């Protein structure tokens, strides 16, 4: 379980295909604190640490992950949002995040406002995911509040701290992102669907 509060930015150092799998080497200042078998969210995708060496560690993405997330689009030199799994007893500063990406979306608009940024994302509604006005959403692992919820689009407002300390500063219109919809919202929607 995660909170969607980004802890660190990592650098993709190497990518190695192995049959349907992709081994990803990440350089990060938190590597020394990682252990093999720990879960780390990479742009919101929960991956298991399989190896560590100095300031680099390796995670493996399987075909299912590559098919349903943007992990397969990574290139050497890319920056990724990192969050280690939360500890019991810690504050839940973001919201409950599983690290299981529901689908991807495309950034369709970025507006720089007076001291903040508004990002709009468009997603495929055939997967039956929804956003709720003022509900939570995870975009590339970042816990955010939905504003302007529409049928297949939504916006989020980004404060300067989040802009500076996540990959949002590098995001451009046309880029794809990972989405994890609010687990509470998914549960409510499922209950409503069952009642009908």
């Amino acid at each position: 379980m995660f909170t969607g509060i980004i802890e660190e930015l990592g650098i993709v150092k190497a990518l190695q295909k192995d049959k349907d799998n992709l081994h990803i080497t990440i350089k990060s200042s938190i590597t020394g604190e990682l252990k093999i078998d720990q879960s780390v969210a990479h742009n919101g995708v929960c991956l298991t640490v399989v190896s560590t060496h100095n300031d680099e560690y390796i995670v493996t993405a399987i075909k299912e992950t590559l098919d349903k997330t943007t992990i397969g689009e990574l290139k050497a030199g890319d920056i990724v949002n990192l969050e280690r799994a939360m500890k019991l007893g810690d504050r839940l500063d973001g919201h409950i995040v599983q690290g299981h990406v529901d689908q991807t979306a495309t950034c369709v608009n970025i507006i720089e406002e007076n001291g903040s940024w508004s990002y709009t994302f468009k997603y495929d509604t055939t997967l039956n995911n929804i956003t709720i006005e003022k509900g939570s959403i995870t975009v590339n692992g970042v816990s955010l509040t939905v504003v302007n919820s529409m049928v297949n689009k939504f916006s989020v407002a980004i404060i300067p701290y989040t802009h500076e300390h996540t990959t949002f500063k590098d995001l451009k219109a046309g880029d794809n992102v990972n989405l994890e919809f609010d687990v509470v919202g998914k549960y409510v929607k499922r209950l409503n669907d069952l009642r009908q």
Side-chain angles (χ1 to χ4, degrees):
M1 298 292 283
F2 303 92
T3 67
I5 303 299
I6 301 306
E7 185 175 357
E8 177 69 31
L9 294 175
I11 303 170
V12 177
K13 298 302 286 184
L15 300 153
Q16 180 186 355
K17 282 292 281 179
D18 178 16
K19 299 181 181 171
D20 283 342
N21 299 334
L22 180 64
H23 303 293
I24 307 162
T25 302
I26 305 286
K27 180 178 179 178
S28 168
S29 65
I30 64 171
T31 301
E33 301 170 41
L34 298 178
K35 294 182 176 68
I36 292 172
D37 286 338
Q38 280 188 318
S39 296
V40 178
H42 301 75
N43 284 349
V45 180
C46 178
L47 298 171
T48 302
V49 175
V50 297
S51 157
T52 65
H53 181 69
N54 294 329
D55 61 352
E56 295 181 355
Y57 66 94
I58 297 174
V59 292
T60 301
I62 62 173
K63 185 177 187 314
E64 170 82 2
T65 304
L66 298 172
D67 287 346
K68 294 191 174 174
T69 71
T70 63
I71 290 294
E73 298 174 20
L74 290 175
K75 302 175 295 306
D78 282 353
I79 306 296
V80 292
N81 293 321
L82 300 177
E83 181 190 0
R84 289 179 285 181
M86 67 181 194
K87 295 180 196 171
L88 283 176
D90 279 355
R91 288 186 186 91
L92 184 61
D93 291 320
H95 71 281
I96 296 171
V97 176
Q98 297 177 302
H100 303 158
V101 170
D102 293 305
Q103 66 183 90
T104 60
T106 302
C107 180
V108 293
N109 194 24
I110 302 169
I111 300 171
E112 187 172 350
E113 298 178 338
N114 191 19
S116 66
W117 291 261
S118 173
Y119 288 77
T120 301
F121 300 95
K122 183 176 183 180
Y123 63 97
D124 178 4
T125 57
T126 62
L127 297 174
N128 292 320
N129 292 309
I130 61 166
T131 57
I132 300 166
E133 191 73 21
K134 302 299 184 259
S136 296
I137 187 81
T138 308
V139 178
N140 273 355
V142 181
S143 173
L144 299 165
T145 300
V146 172
V147 294
N148 198 20
S149 177
M150 298 168 266
V151 173
N152 65 339
K153 288 194 280 191
F154 66 93
S155 298
V156 293
I158 304 295
I159 64 171
Y161 183 89
T162 303
H163 191 265
E164 181 60 30
H165 291 89
T166 69
T167 57
F168 269 95
K169 64 182 171 291
D170 301 318
L171 198 62
K172 302 177 299 303
D175 286 351
N176 293 323
V177 297
N178 296 313
L179 296 182
E180 181 179 330
F181 293 81
D182 186 4
V183 69
V184 176
K186 288 191 283 190
Y187 177 73
V188 170
K189 181 180 185 317
R190 179 74 177 131
L191 280 177
N192 287 336
D193 289 348
L194 289 173
R195 286 184 185 142
Q196 293 177 358

